[in-house]
Structures are given as structure tokens and as C-alpha cells.
Amino acid sequence: LAGGPAFSAYGNSNQVISSGVFTKVAINTKVFDTANCFDANTNYRFTPNVPGYYQIDSVVEAYGGGIPLTNFALALYNHGSEALRGTNWAISTQEIYPQVTGLFPMNGTTDYLELYIYVLSTGTITLYGSPTYKAFSGFLARPM
């Protein structure tokens, strides 16, 4: 739709996360943000200013430093609660590439989406920082 909010952003640096807890993914670089709805500085969240249904896509690559990664998930959170968990693809036992995509109703005022990851490992877990390895994007698919 012409004029609807759309954004594309990514994490520009590696991020070390803890094992066994959902951790917010630091998406801190905007590629574009047509309506200034994505916070890439503090909260790393999308808060659309137009009510509607939003298509959201995200991907993260995690590396376990040579130690196997187990029980991993990428999830979108709405208002601080898990709203959708995505698919998980293992490149190897030490490297994963989970993705989550979905269509979300957003009220245009208080609803917001954030990206979280969960990984179990005994080693250091690193999320790679780059436009292809830690990305988050979305657009207004249809107004309400």
C-alpha cells in the first residue's frame, strides 16, 4: 500500500548472548524506515503509527564457537510477550539460522514488535552482525 509504514533494519555488530534465556536481538541500523516507526537506538522495536495488518520478516545467524547449539528458537514479541515462534534451520551443530515471519494486527498506537532469540549451549553464543545475518523488516500489508 502506498504511504503505509515500512522498514528494513539489521544488527551491524556481533552480539554475545546468554544460554537458556530469551534475549532481545539488537537491531541497530536502519536500511530504510518510511514512517519513522522503527527504534534502532534504544528498544530495537517496530511501533507502527497506522492501524493495520503488518507482514514481518526476520532472520538471525548464531554461532556456538565450536560447541554444539541445542534447543534454539527465534520469536517475535508483542508488548513483551511471545507472539510467534519461527522455524529453525541448522547449518551445522555449531551454527544455526532461525527465521520467523508472520502477519500481525497492529493498532497503530501502542502495539509494538521486538525480536528475541533463545539458544542452549555450553560455549559462547554469538549472533553475527550484518545485513544478511541479523535482519528485521516489515510493511503494512492492509489497513484495518
Side-chain angles (χ1 to χ4, degrees), residues 54-70:
Y54 287 84
Q55 177 66 41
I56 303 295
D57 301 294
S58 57
V59 64
V60 173
E61 185 168 355
Y63 178 68
I67 305 297
L69 301 173
T70 60

Side-chain angles (χ1 to χ4, degrees), residues 30-68:
K30 294 182 188 185
V31 177
F32 63 84
D33 184 3
T34 63
N36 198 30
C37 293
F38 188 79
D39 175 3
N41 298 314
T42 308
N43 295 311
Y44 315 119
R45 70 175 54 153
F46 176 58
T47 309
N49 57 11
V50 174
Y53 299 92
Y54 287 84
Q55 177 66 41
I56 303 295
D57 301 294
S58 57
V59 64
V60 173
E61 185 168 355
Y63 178 68
I67 305 297

